[in-house]
């Protein structure tokens, strides 16, 4: 059995989640492999683990969709998460069956209700990769923003709350403009809030992209096993120098928002800000946009990004992240699969991986807890 370390899961329990009526899984290894047919519940288990961090999980599903069909309309995910010098934290995240349409997720840590789901980031950090992300580089900018924000959140726990507050303030400004309520004092107050939050969001993203670029150049994929990605950030503030003193930058953002009220009202939305940002990725060796690379190359680039980010997260937060890798081995040749497992081993992270064929994980025999998923059960 592997030694368990801070930030790792020692036990997982599910109740009425997706196709799991009830599940208790003692976790005994840093590698956990779930093998089985499509629809057996492998990805469902990864999704349950993803709820041990803030947000809507790796599928961004509604809570109603997560509740088991034929169950009690609610669900729970419970985990024992190891801490540095104390007993494991008992973490419970649940949606109550009697909450009706206004379902909200509740989080309890050691039987104490958490102030918010952000408190989970003090215990563990999660990074995931799923087949739905395979078209990330060529897809909409919004998908890349969400991907980047998940990476930022593992390094800057306050980022999620700032993003929510920014979206709320922006919606309020958009409504005022749409209704023709051009109250200068009211709009100015909202625009000052948008400037402060928007700059903080843009700076956190820029710091993450810079740190990730450094990790790519010196991190676990430097040997070329996975192609290296070049990264750049379009902040959403065209031509704005974010390196100047923060007060000066906030004042300029607020002034630009004030000057753009007419255009924003005509467009029906705010035309400038971090909600318009984009992560620009290139294939460094071939010096071309990642979107133009082959499907296999894009997958390899994405894996390389995730591995570099795992190394960066451990370095910055002190917590080895938990990786959720859905169908990770399907499009990798045997040598690259073996190299991936060795890199994960060297990183010292806990990894939950899925695949339809157990043989894809032959290089992990003797190092992994390998389970077969079938009809909401693990054997």
């Amino acid at each position: 059995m592997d030694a368990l370390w801070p930030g790792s899961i020692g036990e997982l329990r599910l109740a009425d989640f997706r196709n799991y009526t009830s599940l208790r899984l003692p976790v005994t290894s840093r590698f956990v492999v779930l093998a089985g047919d499509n629809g057996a519940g492998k990805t469902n288990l990864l999704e349950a683990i993803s709820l041990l961090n803030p947000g809507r999980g790796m599928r961004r599903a509604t809570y109603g969709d997560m509740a088991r069909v034929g169950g009690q309309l609610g669900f729970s995910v419970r985990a024992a998460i190891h801490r540095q010098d104390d007993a494991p934290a008992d973490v419970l995240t649940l949606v109550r069956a009697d909450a009706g349409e206004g379902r909200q997720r509740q989080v309890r840590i050691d039987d104490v209700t958490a102030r918010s789901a952000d408190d989970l980031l003090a215990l563990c950090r999660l990074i995931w990769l799923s087949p739905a992300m395979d078209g990330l580089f060529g897809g909409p900018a919004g998908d890349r923003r969400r991907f980047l924000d998940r990476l930022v959140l593992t390094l800057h726990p306050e980022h999620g709350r700032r993003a929510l507050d920014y979206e709320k303030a922006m919606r309020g400004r958009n409504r005022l403009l749409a209704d023709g309520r051009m109250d200068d004092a009211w709009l100015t107050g909202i625009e000052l809030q948008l400037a402060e939050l928007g700059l903080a969001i843009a700076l956190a993203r820029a710091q993450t992209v810079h740190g990730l670029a450094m990790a790519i150049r010196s991190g676990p994929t430097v040997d070329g096993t996975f192609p290296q990605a070049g990264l750049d950030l379009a902040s959403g503030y065209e031509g704005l120098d974010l390196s100047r003193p923060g007060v000066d930058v906030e004042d300029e953002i607020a002034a630009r928002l004030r000057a753009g009220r007419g255009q924003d009202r005509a467009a029906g939305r705010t035309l400038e800000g971090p909600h318009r940002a984009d992560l620009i990725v290139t294939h460094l060796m071939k010096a071309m946009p990642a979107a133009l690379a082959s499907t296999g190359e894009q997958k390899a680039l994405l894996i390389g990004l995730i591995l570099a980010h795992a190394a960066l997260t451990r370095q910055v937060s002190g917590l080895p992240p938990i990786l959720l890798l859905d169908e990770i081995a399907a499009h990798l040749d045997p040598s690259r699969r073996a190299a991936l497992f060795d890199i994960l081993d060297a990183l010292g992270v806990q990894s939950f991986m899925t695949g339809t064929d157990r043989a894809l994980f032959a290089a992990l025999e003797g190092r992994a807890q390998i389970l077969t998923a079938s009809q909401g059960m693990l054997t």
Side-chain angles (χ1 to χ4, degrees):
M1 180 186 299
D2 290 343
L4 294 170
W5 57 96
S8 68
I9 296 172
E11 182 178 83
L12 183 69
R13 298 189 183 200
L14 308 183
D16 276 339
F17 186 87
R18 295 287 189 179
N19 66 333
Y20 290 94
T21 303
S22 178
L23 173 74
R24 177 179 176 270
L25 174 62
V27 180
T28 60
S29 174
R30 70 173 55 182
F31 289 110
V32 180
V33 173
L34 306 172
D37 295 336
N38 292 326
K42 306 184 302 297
T43 304
N44 292 344
L45 189 133
L46 298 192
E47 182 183 27
I49 297 172
S50 72
L51 294 179
L52 298 175
N53 264 191
R56 290 166 50 191
M58 63 185 294
R59 282 174 168 152
R60 293 178 54 80
T62 66
Y63 295 140
D65 286 341
M66 295 181 194
R68 184 175 64 88
V69 175
Q72 299 299 311
L73 303 180
F75 64 84
S76 67
V77 178
R78 191 168 209 137
I81 300 179
H82 289 267
R83 291 183 281 209
Q84 185 72 45
D85 299 313
D86 203 352
D90 176 33
V91 175
L92 174 66
T93 180
L94 77 159
V95 172
R96 294 176 60 90
D98 57 2
E101 292 301 319
R103 293 185 180 95
Q104 296 293 324
R105 180 157 66 112
Q106 300 178 26
V107 175
R108 298 175 189 167
I109 301 173
D110 293 329
D111 291 327
V112 177
T113 300
R115 292 168 299 174
S116 76
D118 293 350
D119 291 355
L120 294 169
L121 292 168
L123 296 172
C124 67
R125 308 291 170 99
L126 292 165
I127 304 170
W128 56 74
L129 185 59
S130 70
M133 298 163 63
D134 287 353
L136 182 72
F137 301 134
D143 290 347
R144 288 186 293 279
R145 276 196 302 275
R146 281 191 291 273
F147 171 73
L148 175 58
D149 282 340
R150 288 300 315 177
L151 303 186
V152 175
L153 189 63
T154 63
L155 305 174
H156 301 272
E158 69 283 356
H159 182 74
R161 177 53 53 188
R162 284 176 179 160
L164 289 174
D165 290 344
Y166 178 89
E167 290 290 335
K168 181 179 178 180
M170 183 175 64
R171 287 196 301 269
R173 178 177 181 269
N174 289 345
R175 280 196 301 270
L176 288 175
L177 294 177
D179 294 343
R181 298 161 64 185
M182 308 298 284
D183 184 292
D184 184 67
W186 204 346
L187 284 168
T188 296
I190 294 177
E191 287 160 358
L192 289 172
Q193 183 184 18
L194 285 172
E196 179 182 355
L197 291 168
L199 177 59
I201 291 167
L203 287 175
R205 286 172 175 168
Q207 290 168 9
T208 298
V209 169
H210 175 73
L212 190 52
M214 297 289 289
I216 289 171
R217 288 197 290 269
S218 61
T221 63
V222 72
D223 64 352
T225 303
F226 294 93
Q228 294 189 331
L231 302 177
D232 199 3
L233 177 67
S235 70
Y237 294 115
E238 185 176 353
L240 188 66
D241 181 5
L242 300 180
S243 66
R244 292 182 296 137
V247 173
D248 294 341
V249 179
E250 287 178 14
D251 287 345
E252 183 174 346
I253 293 173
R256 287 163 68 157
L257 285 167
R258 179 186 179 90
R261 289 174 186 172
Q263 284 182 308
D264 291 350
R265 181 184 181 188
R269 63 187 188 278
T270 301
L271 295 173
E272 185 178 59
H275 60 288
R276 304 287 297 241
D278 195 3
L279 177 65
I280 301 165
V281 185
T282 57
H283 189 307
L284 276 182
M285 184 176 293
K286 295 191 173 182
M288 69 178 185
L292 300 182
S294 70
T295 301
E297 286 175 324
Q298 290 189 41
K299 181 77 171 186
L301 277 168
L302 193 53
I303 292 174
L305 265 175
I306 292 295
L307 293 173
H309 185 65
L312 179 64
T313 299
R314 179 165 192 164
Q315 175 188 343
V316 172
S317 72
L319 286 174
I322 300 170
L323 270 59
L324 309 178
L325 305 174
D326 196 15
E327 298 292 345
I328 187 62
H331 302 294
L332 301 179
D333 59 58
S335 61
R336 187 168 273 177
R337 284 199 300 269
L340 169 63
F341 303 148
D342 287 342
I343 291 172
L344 292 171
D345 207 356
L347 284 173
V349 297
Q350 189 174 43
S351 304
F352 290 80
M353 296 175 281
T354 72
T356 55
D357 187 352
R358 177 179 175 142
L360 295 173
F361 302 95
L364 281 177
E365 291 289 349
R367 290 189 285 171
Q369 180 179 3
I370 300 180
L371 306 163
T372 299
S374 177
Q375 298 180 349
M377 298 178 65
L378 299 179
T379 56

